[in-house]
Amino acid sequence: MPKIKTAKGAAKRFRMTARRKIKREKSFANHILTKKSRGRKRNLRKAAFIADADYDRIRRLLPYA
């Protein structure tokens, strides 16, 4: 049985937790930051989990995670 290739783009964006949830970083935090409030920018620093609807699709991209 051949090895399954990991989708490298997904490997750089997602991390698996010990309880098999998939963590992601939030978007909209790189530029045009002056118009965003301090609280909004602070909230964008925190990691988030992917939606349940996306779990199977992203799990397929990370076969060894």
Side-chain angles (χ1 to χ4, degrees), residues 12-44:
K12 293 167 191 173
R13 287 173 173 84
F14 303 109
R15 294 282 174 264
M16 189 73 77
T17 65
R19 295 186 180 241
R20 312 307 286 168
K21 288 184 173 182
I22 299 176
K23 249 167 77 165
R24 66 172 177 84
E25 291 300 318
K26 291 183 180 171
S27 54
F28 303 106
N30 287 325
H31 64 126
I32 315 174
L33 297 172
T34 51
K35 66 173 79 170
K36 295 170 188 166
S37 70
R38 191 183 313 144
R40 181 176 170 191
K41 287 186 282 192
R42 193 183 317 122
N43 192 35
L44 289 172

Side-chain angles (χ1 to χ4, degrees), residues 50-58:
I50 62 161
D52 292 336
D54 298 324
Y55 185 84
D56 291 333
R57 196 156 24 113
I58 293 170

Side-chain angles (χ1 to χ4, degrees), residues 1-7 60-64:
M1 199 64 193
K3 294 178 187 174
I4 302 168
K5 285 195 171 184
T6 298
R60 222 171 292 133
L61 298 173
L62 306 169
Y64 301 104

